[in-house]
Each structure stands twice: as C-alpha cells, then as structure tokens.
Amino acid sequence: MKKQVINKDDLSRELADELCLSPRQVKSSVEIIFNRIAEELANEKTIQIVGFGKFLVRKRKARVGRDPNTGERLNLPETETPVFSPSRNLSRLVKGKG
C-alpha cells in the first residue's frame, strides 16, 4: 500500500472545500496553528488537544553513538526533541477500531 503524503497546501485546499472558504484564508489559519504549536514547544510547553493527542518536548539522555562511516565512537550530548503522543481515540481510529 502506497502512503499518501498531504502537505499544507493540500490540507488547506481540502479544508477550504469543506468550510466553503478560500484556500488562502484556510492556509493562513493552518500556518498560524502550526506556528503557535512550534512556539509553545520552543518554550517547553505541552499542547494537549483532547481527542487528538499531545505535543510535548522530551529530553533524550546523553549517550554513546557510532559514526556510521568510520565506526568511531561518539559522545552524543543530551538533547530535547519534539514528540507527538496520540490520544486513545486517535490510536483506535488508525488501528481500525474507532
């Protein structure tokens, strides 16, 4: 099964059709939402959207890795990374039990 990729333009066009708005208006709203989520994550805040999921920042411990080209050991520092945790409803829907 080939996975379909939907970018912001596609999403905006589809939402515009459903909402009877112009794609430009919807794309602006989509951009505002995504930018706001990114800003909140940058400030180490968690965004919880009930019924959808939670966006948060998780710390990854420092660890030893390897350079794939040379096999040399590398000390990788502690990092923070954005994470999405789906709600139970979303997980069930994706698994076909929703």
Side-chain angles (χ1 to χ4, degrees):
M1 184 171 127
K2 186 177 179 183
K3 294 185 180 184
Q4 183 179 0
V5 175
I6 297 177
N7 61 30
K8 284 190 271 189
D9 288 336
D10 297 336
L11 180 63
S12 297
R13 275 193 296 275
E14 289 180 20
L15 290 173
D17 289 343
E18 284 186 44
L19 298 170
C20 299
L21 296 171
S22 75
R24 181 175 287 168
Q25 288 174 307
V26 175
K27 185 173 182 183
S28 175
S29 297
V30 168
E31 289 285 346
I32 290 169
I33 291 167
F34 288 156
N35 288 338
R36 186 58 185 255
I37 290 171
E39 288 171 14
E40 296 299 332
L41 290 173
N43 291 321
E44 297 186 29
K45 292 184 180 176
T46 297
I47 298 96
Q48 184 170 351
I49 303 170
V50 177
F52 185 72
K54 186 169 28 175
F55 297 90
L56 60 133
V57 176
R58 189 168 288 152
K59 290 186 191 263
R60 295 181 71 191
K61 294 180 181 178
R63 63 195 191 285
V64 176
R66 292 198 182 272
D67 181 327
N69 293 325
T70 65
E72 179 184 354
R73 292 175 60 127
L74 302 170
N75 290 320
L76 302 173
E78 179 178 270
T79 61
E80 294 180 340
T81 186
V83 176
F84 175 72
S85 177
S87 71
R88 186 176 297 142
N89 293 343
L90 180 58
S91 292
R92 286 180 180 160
L93 180 66
V94 170
K95 291 177 183 176
K97 299 176 185 173

